[in-house]
């Protein structure tokens, strides 16, 4: 893909620098509240360089497509650790409450993503404990067992970062309110390679 403005190269360098810092943060703090909070703050810093993430390079799926959101992979180590994605949504995207089995951070860029947080309830379900609207300049950070759900109404672009790539997370649980059961999360949104230039959803 042509890159007349050089923004793809510059973005790659900025992302690589952020991920190097995030590896160092995890090594220093471990998988702790302080550690994931520091990772969130580093990604907020990366997202503040708005020129590096032009909207036309991260289009959401078109109206006629079945899916309403997709992921652009921005970083992932050779061993699949430290995965960073840009999630582009055209709206009306929701997930049930779920865990990640690795640490997870969501940072806003464009639009709003409501995050609801839960504890497991005594009857085997979930009870909401908190919520946060992720938008530009803000983010949320979760430990592997933390539960959240996401709710996106309008178009949005957000950064999602995980301790291990999504396609390796095959034991994520979600709560199915219709049946009152916990089940394994198998469907991962379309992931598009974006580490070396960008492709459309
Ligand atoms: Fe999640």
């Amino acid at each position: 893909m042509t890159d007349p403005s050089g923004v793809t190269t510059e973005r790659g360098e900025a992302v690589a620098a952020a991920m190097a810092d995030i590896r160092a943060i995890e090594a220093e703090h471990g998988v702790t509240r302080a550690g994931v909070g520091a990772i969130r703050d580093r990604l907020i810093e990366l997202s503040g360089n708005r020129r590096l993430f032009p909207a036309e390079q991260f289009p959401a799926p078109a109206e006629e497509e079945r899916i309403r959101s997709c992921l652009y992979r921005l970083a992932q180590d050779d061993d699949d650790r430290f995965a960073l994605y840009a999630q582009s949504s055209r709206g009306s995207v929701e997930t049930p409450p779920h865990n990640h089995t690795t640490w997870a951070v969501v940072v806003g860029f464009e639009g709003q993503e409501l995050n609801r947080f839960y504890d497991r309830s005594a009857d085997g379900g979930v009870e909401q404990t908190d919520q946060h609207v992720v938008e530009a300049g803000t983010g949320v950070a979760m430990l592997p067992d933390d539960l959240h759900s996401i709710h996106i109404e309008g178009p949005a672009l957000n950064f999602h970062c995980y301790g291990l790539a999504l396609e390796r997370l095959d034991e994520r649980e979600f709560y199915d309110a219709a049946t009152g059961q916990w089940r394994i999360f198998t469907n991962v949104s379309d992931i598009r390679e974006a580490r070396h230039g960008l492709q459309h959803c």
Side-chain angles (χ1 to χ4, degrees), residues 56-128:
E56 65 270 20
Q57 293 194 353
F58 299 94
E63 286 290 332
E64 63 270 21
E65 291 189 61
R66 179 184 53 83
I67 56 171
R68 297 196 190 95
S69 72
C70 64
L71 294 166
Y72 293 92
R73 181 186 286 116
L74 293 169
Q76 186 168 317
D77 286 359
D78 289 343
D79 62 359
D80 297 333
R81 293 224 52 216
F82 299 102
L84 175 65
Y85 311 90
Q87 182 190 45
S88 188
S89 165
R90 60 180 158 89
S92 301
V93 171
E94 291 205 317
T95 71
H98 61 275
N99 65 6
H100 301 94
T101 67
T102 185
W103 59 258
V105 167
V106 181
V107 164
F109 188 79
E110 197 71 60
Q112 295 184 324
E113 177 185 301
L114 171 62
N115 276 247
R116 293 186 176 134
F117 300 97
Y118 306 86
D119 278 343
R120 291 177 192 253
S121 58
D123 63 359
V126 294
E127 54 189 2
Q128 188 177 336

Side-chain angles (χ1 to χ4, degrees), residues 22-42:
I22 287 167
R23 278 186 218 100
I25 290 166
E26 196 204 70
E28 180 181 350
H29 294 281
V31 182
T32 61
R33 291 273 170 222
V36 294
I39 291 169
R40 175 199 57 208
D41 292 347
R42 183 63 181 86

Side-chain angles (χ1 to χ4, degrees), residues 123-182:
D123 63 359
V126 294
E127 54 189 2
Q128 188 177 336
T129 56
D130 201 1
Q131 65 177 39
H132 183 92
V133 176
V134 171
E135 53 194 352
T138 76
V140 295
M142 289 162 277
L143 295 173
D145 292 334
D146 288 347
L147 301 167
H148 82 147
S149 61
I150 66 173
H151 310 267
I152 303 171
E153 290 184 4
L157 184 71
N158 298 297
F159 296 104
H160 288 230
C161 191
Y162 304 92
L164 186 65
L166 276 174
E167 63 265 31
R168 293 282 303 277
L169 304 181
D170 50 13
E171 294 186 347
R172 285 189 301 162
E173 287 182 293
F174 73 93
Y175 181 65
D176 182 354
T179 64
Q181 291 180 320
W182 288 91

